[in-house]
Amino acid sequence: GENVEQHPSTLSVQEGDSAVIKCTYSDSASNYFPWYKQELGKRPQLIIDIRSNVGEKKDQRIAVTLNKTAKHFSLHITETQPEDSAVYFCAASMSWGGATNKLIFGTGTLLAVQP
Amino acid sequence: NAGVTQTPKFRILKIGQSMTLQCTQDMNHNYMYWYRQDPGMGLKLIYYSVGAGITDKGEVPNGYNVSRSTTEDFPLRLELAAPSQTSVYFCASRSTVEDTQYFGPGTRLTVL
């Protein structure tokens, strides 16, 4: 089955710097890769996702890149702000048509943005 | 539109007790999921459902049961609670036309 590895487990940056979180997956059939942000004591919330037919996707200060050959994908946050501090999870799944989209999650990265 | 709701928010169980975690969504989503999140870890899929009357096992189903009698509700049953089931449980749902899973607020369960 699918396995997702995520690193680093913790990341501390200065406000305004960039942050990069990386994930690798094992199942070449996976084609959907979401990123979730989870603030302390809150539910996970989707911040960005990418499909395997796209190499990069941006949404304001957040971007995700995907390398299908190497089976890894990364989250990039630019101009970090204190409110970006949270745990970030990557996930992978097979999703097309009516497929079940069973998400396999990485173990999370605790991002701390120092003011 | 409340989205995905879960009850209770917190619960303490004694070893061997049983309970049902409730999950309801009002978005008419066919797909529903139960995850558990252990401290410092990612989410693990327990069970999922693709529609009323259809359920299937995820990564960590042992010790749990589910049912799906309506589109809206997807309860998770714990029989004979064990300390290893101490965790935060999240329910999620999604429609058939988009991949985004929407999570409920979670239930924090402690088994002593």
Side-chain angles (χ1 to χ4, degrees), chain A residues 42-96:
Chain A
K42 300 291 182 63
R43 73 190 78 186
Q45 292 197 305
L46 180 75
I47 56 172
I48 196 168
D49 57 10
I50 192 169
R51 290 188 164 279
S52 59
N53 59 349
V54 175
E56 183 176 3
K57 184 176 179 180
K58 287 184 178 180
D59 183 3
Q60 300 182 335
R61 297 186 296 107
I62 294 173
V64 57
T65 58
L66 172 65
N67 183 327
K68 286 191 297 181
T69 303
K71 290 190 285 187
H72 65 70
F73 56 111
S74 300
L75 178 70
H76 305 254
I77 305 174
T78 59
E79 301 174 18
T80 54
Q81 301 168 3
E83 50 265 39
D84 294 330
S85 296
V87 179
Y88 292 81
F89 292 98
C90 63
S93 81
M94 289 184 287
S95 177
W96 63 86

Side-chain angles (χ1 to χ4, degrees), chain A residues 43, chain B residues 1-6 24-27 93 102-105:
Chain A
R43 73 190 78 186
Chain B
N1 191 328
V4 181
T5 57
Q6 293 182 237
T24 300
Q25 52 89 12
D26 61 359
M27 299 175 282
S93 74
Y102 297 90
F103 283 80

Side-chain angles (χ1 to χ4, degrees), chain A residues 30-43:
Chain A
S30 291
N31 63 358
Y32 175 65
F33 308 93
W35 286 89
Y36 282 83
K37 176 183 179 181
Q38 187 178 31
E39 297 176 352
L40 186 62
K42 300 291 182 63
R43 73 190 78 186

Side-chain angles (χ1 to χ4, degrees), chain B residues 21-58:
Chain B
L21 283 67
Q22 302 291 344
C23 175
T24 300
Q25 52 89 12
D26 61 359
M27 299 175 282
N28 200 33
H29 286 172
N30 283 335
Y31 295 104
M32 296 188 74
Y33 310 82
W34 273 107
Y35 295 91
R36 60 176 287 173
Q37 184 177 33
D38 298 332
M41 301 294 289
L43 292 91
K44 297 286 188 181
L45 182 64
I46 306 171
Y47 271 94
Y48 66 98
S49 170
V50 301
I54 306 171
T55 63
D56 206 349
K57 297 177 180 179

